[in-house]
Amino acid sequence: MNRRQFLRKGGVFASGAVLLASSSAYAQGHQHHGSEQPVPANAPKGPESAAEGSRGLGLWKDASSASPATQTPIKPQHGQRYTPVITPNGATLPWKMVNGVKEFRLVAEPVVREFAPGMVAHCWGYNGMTPGPTIEVVEGDRLRIYVTNKLPEHTSIHWHGQRLPNGMDGVGGVTQPHIDPGKTFAYEFTVRRSGTFMYHPHSDEMVQMAMGMMGMFVSHPKNPKEYPIDRDFCFLLQSWKIDPGTYTPNTAEMLDFNLWSINSRTFPGIDSMVVRKGDRVRIRIGNLTMTSHPMHLHGHEFKVTCTDGGWVPPSAQWPEVTTDVPVGAIRAVEFVADEEGDWAFHCHKSHHTMGPMSHTIPNMMGVDQSTSAKKISDLFPGYMYMPMGSEGMAEMSDMVAMGMALPENTLPMMTGEGQYGPIEMGGMFTTLKVRPDTPPASRQLLVSDPGWYQHPKGTVAYEVS
């Protein structure tokens, strides 16, 4: 099967005023290939060589994770000191030292990703996940990153924002040959500055990035006293077009996306950020979608302290509650979590906090659809007809909650249940949970969800007559 045949597989889609889904919609896709590592042709020789380590992954371990749960960050090693980054619903890429060089392994391969309970997608990624595992290093480190291609077409990796030799920049055809299927390339460079960066292909970008091939790359300062932090989170924003009833992203889409994700998860599948009251918190946000995202935090003010161009001097920072993250850019924000509660963190473009929907739907508010729904269902036997809300989109959430069927492999447009009822969000939405009894970061960095905040008496909005 060639790439175009692979990408053309799909099912029915939404258009016009209705959503239609066939009971025989395409349901078969690529399975996870695992992370078996071939020995690179130019593997360095030595007592801890890549050849030795490749016998079943050795000290590298397997960075893949079938679970969408947030994986425990990897603690600093070899005397280095930094606060490890937490990748919500993701993982950190393991590494080992070989003759003073930090060696990492990435496998580009088809993956199956659960966006939220009730929906999976057949994507491409790294080490069994999309986005790929976060690469975490320290300024001054010498790196060697082995990249093995298990995709059906060639690829490469660009280290977005890094200062490095031109031949390591990862632009296929310009700075290197493309990595053909089954081949392994090695990238070697020294980390010349600290900050927040990304990695993604520079081969057939339109397809490969739309399929989920991307990851975060965090470089800590060599001096641990620079830019100190208690808890450090990183998010990668992504856009998708996956029509209802289908499983494979439409890579030809340019503007009309229907799914917006954080680390390839949509609300309510996105883990919360749990911190201790008084923590200094950093949130690193990378944007590899096709539009900007005004990311908004409730209950706190923050300052933008870092971009993919470097750290922002204190004299150039100012307080915000929303920062716009441009296409292909990074914004890192910092604040002191001094207000207890469950605080929303989300994109402020309202369609980006919605689940799958067609953008060609007419406004049906005020229209009585009680008789038309049955007639339309009779015209399309074997299909499921879902009328759009006549009293607003919240009506859709109510119908789903009462058991109305959705198209195969499709999420509700608005979902999530809180302690006071429906949350009516989707897509790029999660929460910051600030608690005084959260263990300090020095003792426990990744903390389980504490549940909903118990508000002190007299501090919840109430009904009046």
Side-chain angles (χ1 to χ4, degrees):
M1 179 188 297
N2 64 32
R3 173 174 61 86
R4 298 193 184 280
Q5 290 171 328
F6 169 76
L7 292 170
R8 276 200 293 263
K9 284 198 170 187
V12 295
F13 57 90
S15 65
V18 299
L19 294 176
L20 299 173
S22 169
S23 59
S24 61
Y26 167 66
Q28 183 178 1
H30 287 274
Q31 299 301 311
H32 175 211
H33 285 206
S35 297
E36 180 183 353
Q37 309 278 356
V39 179
N42 60 346
K45 308 302 179 184
E48 292 184 291
S49 69
E52 292 173 354
S54 67
R55 296 170 189 163
L57 288 183
L59 297 177
W60 272 292
K61 301 181 182 178
D62 190 351
S64 67
S65 171
S67 169
T70 304
Q71 303 299 299
T72 302
I74 297 176
K75 294 181 179 179
Q77 302 172 42
H78 303 281
Q80 294 178 327
R81 289 184 294 159
Y82 56 82
T83 300
V85 169
I86 299 170
T87 306
N89 304 107
T92 304
L93 185 63
W95 54 272
K96 72 172 185 177
M97 292 294 290
V98 179
N99 299 326
V101 178
K102 276 187 178 177
E103 289 193 347
F104 297 84
R105 291 194 167 209
L106 285 171
V107 179
E109 59 186 347
V111 304
V112 177
R113 177 62 163 174
E114 181 190 72
F115 277 53
M119 180 185 178
V120 298
H122 300 152
C123 305
W124 291 356
Y126 300 95
N127 296 45
M129 62 183 70
T130 171
T134 299
I135 296 174
E136 195 166 14
V137 300
V138 175
E139 182 183 15
D141 282 348
R142 179 71 181 174
L143 310 183
R144 182 179 297 118
I145 306 174
Y146 294 108
V147 180
T148 299
N149 183 9
K150 290 190 176 183
L151 298 172
E153 70 166 358
H154 64 222
T155 190
S156 70
I157 292 193
H158 167 59
W159 314 103
H160 182 111
Q162 292 286 358
R163 290 288 190 101
L164 35 61
N166 184 235
M168 297 291 171
D169 195 44
V171 182
V174 176
T175 64
Q176 68 164 83
H178 296 277
I179 308 173
D180 287 331
K183 301 297 183 181
T184 296
F185 273 46
Y187 295 84
E188 297 189 33
F189 56 93
T190 298
V191 180
R192 293 166 57 182
R193 62 194 182 102
S194 64
T196 310
F197 312 102
M198 298 181 282
Y199 63 90
H200 60 80
H202 246 297
S203 297
D204 196 9
E205 290 177 61
M206 183 189 80
V207 168
Q208 295 186 13
M209 291 178 68
M211 289 291 286
M213 295 185 67
M214 55 192 70
M216 294 292 283
F217 193 129
V218 173
S219 174
H220 296 282
K222 189 172 185 178
N223 179 0
K225 294 182 179 179
E226 283 188 315
Y227 318 114
I229 207 75
D230 293 307
R231 282 186 166 87
D232 200 340
F233 299 90
C234 70
F235 290 123
L236 196 49
L237 309 180
Q238 297 154 292
S239 55
W240 311 82
K241 181 63 179 289
I242 306 177
D243 292 313
T246 69
Y247 288 73
T248 304
N250 180 351
T251 61
E253 184 55 60
M254 292 185 290
L255 297 173
D256 191 24
F257 299 98
N258 66 346
L259 273 169
W260 305 91
S261 66
I262 296 176
N263 292 346
S264 294
R265 293 282 282 180
T266 61
F267 183 80
I270 305 172
D271 284 349
S272 298
M273 297 175 283
V274 183
V275 304
R276 182 180 177 87
K277 185 178 181 180
D279 274 354
R280 184 165 185 83
V281 180
R282 178 182 296 132
I283 305 175
R284 307 174 191 248
I285 311 162
N287 180 10
L288 288 176
T289 75
M290 299 290 279
T291 186
S292 64
H293 297 280
M295 300 304 294
H296 174 57
L297 176 65
H298 293 208
H300 296 80
E301 307 85 31
F302 57 71
K303 293 182 179 180
V304 175
T305 59
C306 189
T307 74
D308 36 353
W311 297 95
V312 180
S315 60
Q317 300 170 10
W318 67 88
E320 296 262 27
V321 297
T322 304
T323 186
D324 196 51
V325 187
V327 177
I330 283 172
R331 297 290 182 267
V333 303
E334 294 181 24
F335 60 96
V336 175
D338 53 7
E339 294 288 344
E340 294 179 38
D342 298 334
W343 302 105
F345 177 68
H346 61 95
C347 178
H348 220 293
K349 292 183 177 179
S350 58
H351 280 201
H352 297 180
T353 54
M354 299 278 286
M357 63 181 296
S358 169
H359 296 158
T360 58
I361 298 169
N363 187 347
M364 301 298 287
M365 292 179 66
V367 178
D368 181 3
Q369 301 175 70
S370 59
T371 57
S372 61
K374 184 180 184 307
K375 292 179 180 178
I376 293 174
S377 296
D378 292 341
L379 288 172
F380 294 94
Y383 286 81
M384 191 282 295
Y385 168 67
M386 184 166 63
M388 308 317 295
S390 61
E391 298 176 2
M393 285 298 183
E395 183 181 340
M396 298 302 301
S397 298
D398 295 340
M399 288 190 288
V400 171
M402 290 187 293
M404 181 190 72
L406 288 170
E408 179 183 348
N409 197 46
T410 301
L411 297 173
M413 284 181 284
M414 298 185 296
T415 187
E417 191 76 17
Q419 61 179 320
Y420 297 111
I423 298 176
E424 299 182 347
M425 285 287 175
M428 293 176 171
F429 180 94
T430 187
T431 53
L432 170 75
K433 297 196 171 185
V434 183
R435 303 288 191 273
D437 54 353
T438 297
S442 58
R443 193 169 83 232
Q444 185 178 353
L445 196 64
L446 182 61
V447 183
S448 59
D449 194 309
W452 296 111
Y453 181 62
Q454 299 304 301
H455 300 89
K457 186 177 180 180
T459 64
V460 177
Y462 55 94
E463 181 181 356
V464 296
S465 58

